[in-house]
Amino acid sequence: AAGDVTINQAVTVAGAGTIEFDAAGDIVVGANLTSAGGSVTVKSGGALAQSASTTIATGGGAANLTADTMSLDVGAAINAGAGLVTLAGLNNRDVVVGAGATDNAGTTLGLSDTELATITTSGGMTIKAVGAGNLTFSGALDLATPAQLTGGTLTLQSDAFGATNGKTLTSPVDTALIGGSGISTTVGSTISAAANRKVSLTTSGID
């Protein structure tokens, strides 16, 4: 769609059917989106907002959300079952995660710990900054409480640079930090995964 899109009626697909909304402008998810195992993709060239009391449910398919800014209401839910959930900014946008993370239209996608707690999946979660965008922490990120992420790998990925900024990351699953041009784990940073889980850092340079 060339403009804004508001979803006011529930969309349900059966079998391997998929759901996809792609708009150059803003998208408001104001009704439930439900698949029976097919992927659900929502891509906004502007602001993506999921309203309270709405659910994006994939039945085990992938859930893919991409936008300039995102607002995931605390009364909303994304339930991917065993599917992978991917949250990404637009090309060359920075991504900030953790307590206190906020959006800045045109430059930064902010994903707070409160917003990420609305996501339930056993298939892993990927948060990605694309192109020249960096991925950094605004505050502590605790995905172990509540334990909505129960399987797969938590991947925090930047095609450019990633930095923990002295913050604490607590993950209940295997955790991967990927920085295309580097990763900075400054003094005071703590990366903690649950017992018998692994943490990996992949980059061209680690500081």
Side-chain angles (χ1 to χ4, degrees):
D4 299 337
V5 171
T6 298
I7 305 164
N8 287 323
Q9 297 293 324
V11 177
T12 301
V13 295
T18 62
I19 298 173
E20 182 171 355
F21 288 92
D22 190 339
D26 300 340
I27 295 180
V28 176
V29 180
N32 294 343
L33 304 179
T34 307
S35 76
S39 63
V40 176
T41 299
V42 183
K43 183 177 181 180
S44 167
L48 191 164
Q50 185 181 4
S51 302
S53 302
T54 64
T55 299
I56 297 174
T58 69
N64 307 302
L65 278 64
T66 302
D68 181 31
T69 65
M70 289 187 199
S71 175
L72 307 179
D73 192 278
V74 294
I78 298 172
N79 191 333
L84 174 66
V85 176
T86 300
L87 309 174
L90 297 181
N91 194 43
N92 300 328
R93 300 293 198 275
D94 291 339
V95 174
V96 178
V97 297
T102 56
D103 295 309
N104 188 352
T107 62
T108 307
L109 168 62
L111 295 168
S112 70
D113 52 344
T114 303
E115 290 178 303
L116 295 175
T118 66
I119 299 170
T120 300
T121 178
S122 63
M125 182 190 302
T126 296
I127 300 172
K128 186 174 182 181
V130 181
N134 299 317
L135 191 151
T136 59
F137 283 65
S138 60
L141 177 58
D142 183 356
L143 294 179
T145 309
Q148 306 283 72
L149 178 60
T150 58
T153 299
L154 171 63
T155 302
L156 302 174
Q157 180 175 357
S158 169
D159 290 342
F161 187 76
T164 53
N165 299 105
K167 310 305 182 184
T168 298
L169 167 62
T170 305
S171 169
V173 297
D174 292 344
T175 301
L177 275 65
I178 302 172
S181 62
I183 295 174
S184 174
T185 53
T186 52
V187 174
S189 297
T190 302
I191 303 172
S192 175
N196 301 316
R197 297 293 187 171
K198 64 182 180 180
V199 175
S200 65
L201 281 69
T202 304
T203 182
S204 58
I206 297 176
D207 181 13

